[in-house]
């Protein structure tokens, strides 16, 4: 395998000499924009592979288990390196489908700059703007690549105009395509035939302005002809500040723009030396600040992706921010998500010492053996059995923790159960492994409903998780209707008489008690009051009555759901000197409560979430109407920059089970939402009559 890789790479050595000769470039863009095809075209252009889509030994580069596809969509990030003009360029291909935003964010963490790919035959829609905002939120320097120039409906000028109008910051072409779109490019910085193009002056002014080179601006305004090498240097500064975004048309099929794009990556993109590392802390939470990208510095690396390999076990893709990874050396593995995320996102905190296994440079689903991985580079580590996505690798004698990147919040619940007893035995371990690989998957064992719930990003994500359970771990599961944890409460006051008297020979059972019940305000809980006078119920049996009442409250009074917010007052009763007992008064208390509930009436309570929906302004009306149709109570809306509105409402959880899917469909992927528990509220009687009684095991 190593020889085949060496053969196809030829003179291209993937072991970078130092951080200054590395460019980590993530490709971002909507599904079907041509990102994966562009990666393959760039690899073929650099002669890393013989032709786009395959390697010299016949394997594919990006369409692999590490870059899985679902319904034609790439759903997992993949890394492919090439060498251009002596600089190693790590191309990180990310999914464009919204269900797999977790891999997108991992790719943004692994890279120092981005190629934002839009197709020349498509519009810059709201889903594209959403991806652009993902880049902007982490301050990612980026250039815009207009792909598919050879498409019959390609219109480069129209797409560039849309991009300039829709995407924040200065978005200007540095190259322009010929009249037919595929005959070649003209550079606006280097001049030549493009010297008289009016776009050249606008470009030069934007580069100088965004690089804040006042001296050069004075020279330019004074009429001096600026040398192209000086402009390229300022271009790199402007791009690194993430305020200027050069545009370049590229056609992977014909090769137009590939060389220019690689030149832009080398000359116009920052190296790892210019990209500030995430904040660093000790496991105890003390700030260390940031670390320099120095191969001789303290080891600080991060697991940006984990994957299972049937032959070598777990493979960890790591970004080295400082120091050098050497094989067969011990490292400290730290994961401390709770220190950074108040909602508990991510995995459980842990600290482990492990030994580095074989190192490699990622190449799609394969790994090219590596002697070491230096600061600024990406590499793979074999057999880190305890390392999870988002963990930090550091020296055993100096453990450190990187502040993790923001994890996406999975909002689609899927209830499952094992298909067979054999599957049940393997299910927990298999889900634990999948969750360690995928931070956007959350596994919940709901104690109230007894269900196992997978929280996923969407239906495609759910399909992938279930497919991986079956294919990788041999576990079959069946989906079930999601149960919502309901409550019961009394509709009014009432009085009940509990008589538990039995005589069947020998020791009998005798207990009588009278209870008064009344509902309490929401959140008050349960109160038990003793108002017995004259010793009608002996003091030793009063706790027994309370215990019987509490047990009945747990078992429910109507459909088997817990009863809440209730005051129960014991007012009278009778006991027998021989036949009364603890169990008898427990039974009498439960009987009295059930009789009182029949008098008072029992209402069903359902949980409500506060839902905050962020949508483009033109979709506010339909979204608000939909929330109202879900029995939601609208609380208001606020304007947000970028032509968006934040709609807030309280909505029953029963109406939100598929909201992640429905909102995406209704807004064409432009709407997002968050949800947090708000309160319990009485369920309409029509809805309450449809509730399935809860079974107690």
């Amino acid at each position: 395998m190593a020889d085949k890789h060496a053969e196809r790479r030829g003179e291209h050595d993937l072991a970078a000499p130092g951080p200054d000769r590395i460019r980590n470039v993530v490709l971002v863009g909507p599904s079907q924009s041509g990102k994966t095809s562009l990666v393959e075209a760039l690899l073929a252009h650099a002669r890393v592979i013989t032709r786009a889509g395959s390697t010299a030994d016949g394997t594919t580069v990006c369409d692999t288990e590490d870059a899985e596809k679902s319904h034609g969509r790439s759903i997992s990030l993949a890394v492919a390196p090439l060498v251009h003009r002596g600089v190693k360029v790590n191309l990180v291909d990310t999914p464009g489908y919204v269900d797999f935003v977790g891999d997108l964010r991992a790719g943004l963490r692994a890279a120092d700059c981005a190629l934002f790919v839009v197709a020349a035959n498509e519009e810059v829609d709201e889903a594209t703007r959403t991806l652009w905002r993902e880049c902007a939120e982490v301050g990612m320097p980026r250039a815009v690549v207009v792909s598919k120039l050879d498409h019959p409906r390609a219109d480069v000028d129209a797409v560039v105009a849309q991009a300039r109008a829709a995407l924040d910051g200065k978005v200007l072409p540095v190259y322009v395509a010929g009249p037919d779109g595929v005959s070649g490019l003209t550079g606006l910085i280097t001049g030549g035939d493009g010297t008289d193009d009016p776009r050249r002056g606008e470009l030069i002014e934007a580069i100088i302005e965004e690089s804040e080179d006042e001296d050069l601006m004075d020279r330019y305004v004074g009429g001096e002809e600026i040398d192209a090498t000086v402009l390229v240097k300022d271009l790199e500064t402007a791009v690194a500040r993430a305020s200027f975004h050069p545009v370049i048309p590229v056609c992977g099929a014909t090769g137009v723009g590939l060389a220019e794009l690689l030149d832009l990556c080398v000359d116009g993109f920052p190296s790892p030396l210019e990209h500030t590392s995430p904040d660093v802390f000790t496991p105890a939470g003390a700030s260390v600040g940031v670390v320099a990208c120095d191969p001789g510095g303290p080891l600080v690396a991060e697991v940006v992706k984990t994957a299972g390999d049937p032959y070598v076990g777990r493979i960890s893709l790591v970004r080295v921010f400082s120091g050098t990874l050497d094989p067969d050396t011990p490292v400290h593995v730290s994961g401390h998500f709770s220190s950074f995320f108040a909602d508990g996102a991510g995995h459980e905190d842990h600290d482990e010492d492990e030994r580095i296994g074989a190192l490699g440079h990622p190449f799609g689903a394969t790994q090219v053996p590596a002697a070491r991985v230096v600061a600024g580079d990406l590499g793979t580590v074999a057999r880190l059995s305890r390392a999870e996505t988002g963990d930090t690798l550091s020296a055993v004698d100096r453990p450190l923790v990187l502040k993790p990147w923001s994890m996406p919040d999975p909002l689609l619940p899927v209830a499952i159960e094992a298909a067979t007893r054999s599957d049940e035995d393997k299910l927990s371990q298999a889900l634990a492994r999948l969750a360690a690989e995928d931070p956007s998957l959350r596994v919940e064992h709901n104690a109230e409903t007894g269900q196992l719930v997978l929280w996923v990003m969407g239906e495609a994500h759910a399909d992938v998780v279930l497919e991986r359970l079956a294919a990788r771990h041999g576990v079959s599961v069946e989906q079930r209707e999601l149960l919502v944890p309901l409550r019961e409460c009394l509709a009014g006051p009432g009085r009940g008489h509990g008589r538990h008297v039995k005589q069947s020979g020998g020791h009998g059972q005798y207990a009588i008690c009278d209870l008064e019940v009344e509902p309490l305000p929401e959140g008050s809980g349960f109160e038990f009051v003793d108002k017995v006078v004259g010793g009608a119920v002996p003091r030793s049996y009063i706790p027994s009555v309370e215990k019987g009442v509490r047990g009945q409250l747990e078992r429910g009074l109507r459909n088997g759901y817990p009863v809440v917010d209730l005051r129960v007052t014991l007012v009278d009763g009778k006991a027998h000197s021989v036949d009364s007992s603890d169990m008898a008064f427990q039974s009498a208390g439960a009987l009295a409560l059930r009789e009182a509930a029949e008098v008072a009436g029992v209402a069903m309570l359902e949980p409500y979430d506060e839902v905050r929906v962020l949508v483009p302004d033109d979709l506010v009306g339909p979204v608000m109407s939909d929330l109202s149709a879900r029995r939601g109570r609208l609380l208001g809306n606020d304007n947000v920059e970028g032509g968006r509105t934040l709609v807030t409402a309280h909505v029953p959880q029963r109406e939100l089970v598929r909201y992640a899917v429905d909102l995406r469909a209704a807004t064409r992927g432009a709407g997002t939402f968050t949800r947090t528990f708000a309160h319990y509220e009485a369920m309409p009687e029509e809805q309450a009559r449809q509730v399935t009684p809860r079974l107690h095991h």
Side-chain angles (χ1 to χ4, degrees):
M1 180 65 72
D3 289 340
K4 290 180 180 180
H5 281 296
E7 178 184 348
R8 71 164 176 254
R9 293 197 314 270
E11 62 182 5
H12 298 282
D13 185 3
L14 298 182
D20 60 321
R21 309 299 292 173
I22 298 174
R23 302 291 185 271
N24 296 308
V25 182
V26 60
L27 283 86
V28 181
S31 181
Q32 307 300 322
S33 62
K35 298 185 302 297
T36 300
S37 298
L38 178 59
V39 170
E40 294 174 346
L42 290 169
L43 292 171
H45 177 82
R47 299 185 179 180
V48 178
I49 60 176
T50 55
R51 59 183 174 84
S54 67
T55 65
D57 55 6
T59 61
T60 57
V61 177
C62 296
D63 187 8
T64 62
E65 185 180 12
D66 247 340
E68 295 171 270
K69 291 194 175 182
S70 176
H71 309 296
R73 300 181 177 96
S74 176
I75 61 172
S76 185
L77 71 85
V79 180
L82 59 84
V83 177
H84 182 70
R85 290 169 37 204
V87 174
K88 180 183 180 184
V89 180
N90 288 316
L91 299 172
V92 184
D93 188 17
T94 64
Y97 193 46
V98 68
D99 270 22
F100 307 103
V101 67
D103 273 315
L104 167 63
R105 294 186 181 179
L108 292 174
R109 183 60 160 239
D112 304 303
C113 39
L115 294 176
F116 196 89
V117 185
V118 294
N121 62 310
E122 300 287 348
E123 293 185 352
V124 178
D125 57 12
E126 186 59 35
T128 305
R129 294 185 182 96
T130 300
L131 292 172
W132 184 264
R133 285 192 290 268
E134 286 279 345
C135 296
E137 286 174 4
V138 297
M140 179 63 70
R142 51 206 181 276
V144 177
V145 176
V146 181
S147 65
K148 300 187 178 181
L149 305 185
D150 57 336
H151 194 280
R153 297 196 309 272
D155 189 338
V156 177
D157 291 339
V159 170
V160 171
Q162 290 179 37
R164 294 188 62 179
L167 308 181
D168 296 332
K170 285 187 168 59
V171 179
L172 295 171
V174 291
Y175 290 93
V176 293
D180 59 358
V182 295
S183 59
L185 302 183
T186 299
L188 296 180
I189 290 181
T190 54
D193 293 336
T195 302
D196 297 329
D197 193 309
R199 289 173 287 190
R200 184 170 190 266
E202 183 184 11
L203 171 66
I204 293 174
E205 290 181 11
I207 291 173
I208 299 174
E209 178 183 351
E210 296 304 321
S211 66
E212 298 184 1
D213 191 337
E214 295 181 3
D215 177 65
L216 191 61
M217 179 63 78
D218 291 339
R219 292 163 53 191
Y220 177 71
V221 172
E224 181 178 337
E225 181 67 27
I226 308 300
D227 185 80
T229 57
V230 176
L231 286 173
V232 168
K233 184 177 179 180
D234 272 22
L235 169 68
E236 195 271 343
T237 301
V239 170
R241 290 179 174 172
S243 60
F244 176 78
H245 313 293
V247 180
I248 177 171
V250 175
C251 183
T254 63
V256 169
L258 295 177
E260 291 86 349
L261 180 57
L262 289 175
D263 284 340
L264 178 63
C265 291
V266 170
D267 297 327
F269 275 166
S271 74
L273 294 172
E274 302 164 84
H275 191 76
T276 304
S277 78
D279 292 336
V280 183
F281 299 82
T282 68
S287 176
V288 181
V290 297
V291 294
C293 183
D294 178 6
L299 177 62
V300 181
E302 186 172 37
V303 179
V304 294
K305 177 181 171 62
T306 56
D309 187 288
Y311 302 106
V312 299
R314 184 174 295 182
I315 299 292
S316 302
L317 173 65
V318 300
R319 163 69 188 262
V320 182
F321 289 98
S322 172
T324 300
L325 273 177
D326 292 301
D328 198 33
T329 56
V331 294
H332 185 78
V333 181
S334 291
H336 287 262
F337 290 92
S338 66
S339 300
F340 305 99
F341 300 117
D343 60 358
H347 310 122
E348 293 184 3
D349 291 354
H350 55 272
D351 286 277
E352 316 279 350
D353 286 342
E354 290 202 67
R355 183 171 292 276
I356 292 289
L359 295 177
H361 292 296
F363 192 89
T366 62
Q367 291 80 47
V368 181
R372 63 183 55 84
V373 182
V374 301
D377 206 358
L378 302 176
T380 57
V381 183
R383 298 187 179 90
L384 282 179
S385 60
R386 303 302 299 274
E388 301 176 345
T389 300
D391 283 359
T392 302
L393 308 183
S394 57
V396 171
D397 59 352
R398 190 183 177 185
L400 297 170
V401 178
L402 286 162
K403 181 179 180 179
W405 67 88
S406 173
M407 302 294 180
D409 191 13
L411 293 169
L412 178 65
V414 178
I416 63 168
E417 65 178 40
T420 66
R421 178 59 62 88
S422 174
D423 291 316
E424 186 175 333
D425 295 338
K426 298 182 291 184
L427 181 57
S428 293
Q429 185 177 17
L431 286 175
R433 290 180 178 175
L434 291 180
E437 298 173 8
D438 183 2
S440 63
L441 168 66
R442 190 169 79 241
V443 181
E444 174 193 3
H445 296 268
N446 192 303
E448 291 194 44
T449 65
Q451 286 189 311
L452 176 60
V453 181
L454 305 181
W455 287 87
V456 295
M457 299 298 297
E459 289 182 307
H461 189 201
D463 290 343
V464 168
V465 171
L466 299 184
E467 288 170 6
R468 288 175 178 171
L469 275 175
R472 295 186 186 178
H473 303 284
V475 178
S476 296
V477 298
E478 297 174 352
Q479 295 190 40
R480 293 288 181 258
E481 180 184 357
L482 183 78
L483 303 179
V484 171
L486 303 178
R487 298 282 187 272
E488 299 176 3
C489 72
L490 293 190
R495 185 182 179 101
H497 177 74
R499 175 184 174 86
H500 184 75
V501 178
K502 293 185 178 181
Q503 188 68 46
S504 57
H507 201 303
Q509 301 179 50
Y510 189 98
I512 297 175
C513 63
D514 293 288
L515 302 177
E516 292 179 350
V517 298
E518 58 181 313
L520 295 176
E522 180 188 351
S524 299
F526 169 68
E527 294 181 17
F528 183 82
V529 181
D530 171 21
K531 285 190 176 181
V532 173
V533 295
V537 177
R539 306 299 302 173
S540 60
Y541 290 135
I542 290 176
S544 302
V545 176
E546 180 178 355
K547 186 175 182 180
V549 168
R550 287 183 179 273
Q552 187 63 57
L553 294 179
E554 284 297 316
R555 294 189 295 274
L557 295 168
R558 176 173 176 175
N559 285 309
Y561 291 92
V563 182
V564 296
D565 301 329
L566 175 68
R567 178 185 290 128
V568 175
T569 304
L570 176 61
V571 295
D572 200 2
K574 291 182 181 180
H576 189 278
S577 60
V578 175
D579 292 339
S580 290
S581 66
D582 169 65
M583 290 302 300
F585 271 99
Q586 285 190 45
S587 298
L591 287 169
L593 178 61
R594 292 201 295 269
E595 182 177 291
E598 291 180 5
V599 174
V602 180
M604 298 300 301
L605 300 175
E606 61 181 331
Y608 274 63
D609 281 355
E610 180 171 297
V611 178
R612 297 165 64 86
V613 188
L614 186 62
V615 293
D617 292 341
D618 60 343
L619 295 175
V620 171
V623 166
M624 293 176 66
S625 297
D626 178 68
L627 290 173
S628 297
R630 295 173 187 270
R631 300 189 287 123
R633 185 166 54 255
L634 296 168
L635 303 179
N637 54 74
D638 300 290
N639 293 327
V640 179
E641 64 179 14
R644 294 179 293 166
T645 298
L646 183 65
V647 180
T648 306
H650 283 168
V651 186
Q653 287 185 6
R654 285 162 57 92
E655 305 290 345
L656 291 173
V657 173
R658 288 186 52 82
Y659 191 59
V661 176
D662 297 340
L663 177 66
R664 186 179 301 166
T667 62
R668 301 180 301 279
T672 61
F673 78 103
T674 61
R675 56 185 287 184
T676 55
F677 173 75
H679 58 266
Y680 272 86
E681 194 169 311
M683 181 183 294
E685 187 57 31
E686 181 181 352
Q687 301 280 337
R689 285 195 294 268
Q690 300 174 11
V691 172
T692 302
R694 180 188 183 203
L695 299 178
H696 293 273
H697 299 285

